[in-house]
Amino acid sequence: MPRTIVKTSPISEAINRRFFVAIDMLVNLGKIDSLSHFCELHNLSAPRYREMRLGYGITPKPGYQPRYKNLEVEALYITVANYPISAHWLLTGRGEMMTDKK
């Protein structure tokens, strides 16, 4: 059976990148220990998100095409519901990333 190729839109790619920027910020602020820790805390697949980070993270691996193209809605919800990350920024790239300036 041939492998189905899933394409992403520029919008979903930008949201993916902002998610990994936000995760790095949360690590830098000491809110979480790592991406794997975030996944463990919230029952998400760490291998999936580590693979996605290779394609969409702060320093993506050149030419790398992760199998997973889009974040799970749960990951987006968890990020804005449990951490000081702006949903408006995460989805649109507009405004400030952090909701709490402290």
Side-chain angles (χ1 to χ4, degrees):
M1 182 182 280
R3 184 175 172 190
T4 302
I5 303 219
V6 177
K7 295 185 179 185
T8 59
S9 72
I11 293 170
S12 64
E13 286 183 3
I15 293 169
N16 290 343
R17 283 190 178 85
R18 284 189 295 273
F19 171 80
F20 289 108
V21 167
I23 292 296
D24 281 356
M25 177 61 74
L26 294 171
V27 169
N28 290 335
L29 293 172
K31 303 279 186 188
I32 56 175
D33 293 335
S34 63
L35 173 63
S36 294
H37 181 235
F38 173 84
C39 292
E40 182 182 310
L41 285 172
H42 302 292
N43 201 29
L44 298 170
S45 169
R48 173 192 178 110
Y49 287 93
R50 283 193 302 266
E51 180 180 333
M52 286 186 71
R53 183 174 53 191
L54 290 174
Y56 302 111
I58 301 287
T59 53
K61 186 176 180 181
Y64 186 78
Q65 295 294 316
R67 287 179 294 164
Y68 304 103
K69 303 295 184 188
N70 295 301
L71 297 165
E72 296 168 293
V73 172
E74 290 81 2
L76 298 173
Y77 172 80
I78 289 163
T79 303
V80 300
N82 296 296
Y83 302 97
I85 302 295
S86 164
H88 183 71
W89 173 82
L90 188 58
L91 294 177
T92 68
R94 297 182 184 137
E96 299 292 325
M97 176 187 353
M98 305 296 291
T99 57
D100 182 8
K101 300 293 181 186
K102 296 178 184 175

